[in-house]
Each structure stands twice: as C-alpha cells, then as structure tokens.
Amino acid sequence: MRRAAIPRSILSAAILLMLHGGLSIACHLCTGATWFMDDDMNARLEKEVPVCVPVEVTATSTNLVLGAAMIFAALGVLKLIPLARNVSIALCMASLAIVLAYNSYAVIWLLPAQARIMEAEQQNMPPIFGAVTMGTAWGFVIVHVFMTLGVCGMAIHLLNRAPSRAAFA
C-alpha cells in the first residue's frame, strides 16, 4: 500500500523548521562557548550590564531547547502527525517572541555597553577595529531578527495553507 504524497507546503515547512532548528543549535552553542572564554571583555560587560549573564544564559539555553524541539517537530510534520503541526506553529511563534525580546535587550542595553567598552579598547587598536566590531554586532542583530521573521513566518504560513491543513485532518 502506497502512502499519499506529502504536500510541497508541508515538505517546505519541515525543511525550514530543520534549517532554523539546526542553525539555532549551532549558533547558540558558539554563543554559549564565548562565555567560558577567560577574557576581560566579559567581566567588564558584566559590570556595565548586571543582568547580562542571567539573560545570556537564559536566551542561549532556551534557544538550544527550541532548536532541538523544532527539529523533532519537523520530523512529526513529515509524518503528518496533527499535533506536530500545532507544536511547530507554537515553536515558531515562541522563537519569534524570544528573538524580538532578546534583540530589544541587546539594542537597549548590551550594544551601548559594548560600544563604551570598545571606546577604551580603541586606543590600543587600529582605528577600524571598533567600527568593524560594532558593525558586526549590529549586523548580527539585523540578520538574526530578519532571518527568524522570514523562516518562522514562512513556516507558519506554509503550515496554515489549505493543502497543509487538509493533509493533517
């Protein structure tokens, strides 16, 4: 007995969920690793922004769990498990909320503190060093927000299309 073909919208949504989940795990493992480096920047950042460590640990661990959950939800979506569709949509919405909250925190508190720290460092570095470092930080914020909006928004859209809803019915 041959199974019915999986609609393209479901296949596309599952690919997006796996991609976003895998990238989230990889990026946040690297982010978490930076906090174990023994450098003066982290200590000075903790002085400037006292809630820095709890926020970073919470954001990193939450995103690691969300990334893994997205991969498992994508597997459920491919198996056409109805609950997986709802869980995938909820995970995408949670990911959007966390990204918007974290990056708001970064823009309001973290990036200005890093800029103040970098001003002192620039005296001992080439002039372009501070501009490149802060440009990279701002670039990360912009890419992080728009990538999550694009990937999660598209996954939610694909899972809510009529062929997708019919396949899970």
Side-chain angles (χ1 to χ4, degrees):
M1 176 179 266
R2 190 177 148 126
R3 279 180 48 171
I6 297 174
R8 288 184 196 156
S9 59
I10 292 175
L11 184 60
S12 299
I15 290 169
L16 287 172
L17 288 167
M18 286 184 190
L19 176 71
H20 186 66
L23 282 173
S24 181
I25 289 171
C27 291
H28 289 95
L29 280 174
C30 292
T31 301
T34 62
W35 285 98
F36 293 106
M37 293 180 183
D38 187 29
D39 67 346
D40 189 44
M41 178 66 101
N42 286 339
R44 294 190 331 202
L45 199 54
E46 288 175 43
K47 273 187 191 173
E48 289 274 337
V49 184
V51 297
C52 183
V53 173
V55 169
E56 293 294 328
V57 169
T58 303
T60 300
S61 57
T62 303
N63 280 304
L64 285 170
V65 171
L66 264 177
M70 279 188 177
I71 292 171
F72 285 113
L75 295 174
V77 164
L78 288 174
K79 291 182 181 181
L80 299 177
I81 299 170
L83 180 62
R85 176 181 168 269
N86 296 332
V87 168
S88 296
I89 292 169
L91 288 171
C92 283
M93 290 169 49
S95 183
L96 286 168
I98 289 168
V99 162
L100 292 174
Y102 174 78
N103 285 297
S104 296
Y105 150 79
V107 166
I108 294 169
W109 289 292
L110 199 59
L111 292 178
Q114 285 177 336
R116 286 190 297 274
I117 292 169
M118 292 307 298
E119 283 177 12
E121 290 292 321
Q122 281 181 356
Q123 296 168 358
N124 304 324
M125 303 284 179
I128 193 81
F129 180 76
V132 169
T133 304
M134 290 313 297
T136 303
W138 277 99
F140 170 78
V141 168
I142 292 166
V143 168
H144 193 206
V145 169
F146 283 109
M147 187 190 89
T148 304
L149 282 170
V151 172
C152 288
M154 183 57 70
I156 291 169
H157 169 71
L158 291 169
L159 290 171
N160 278 321
R161 293 191 63 217
S164 298
R165 287 194 312 264
F168 285 105

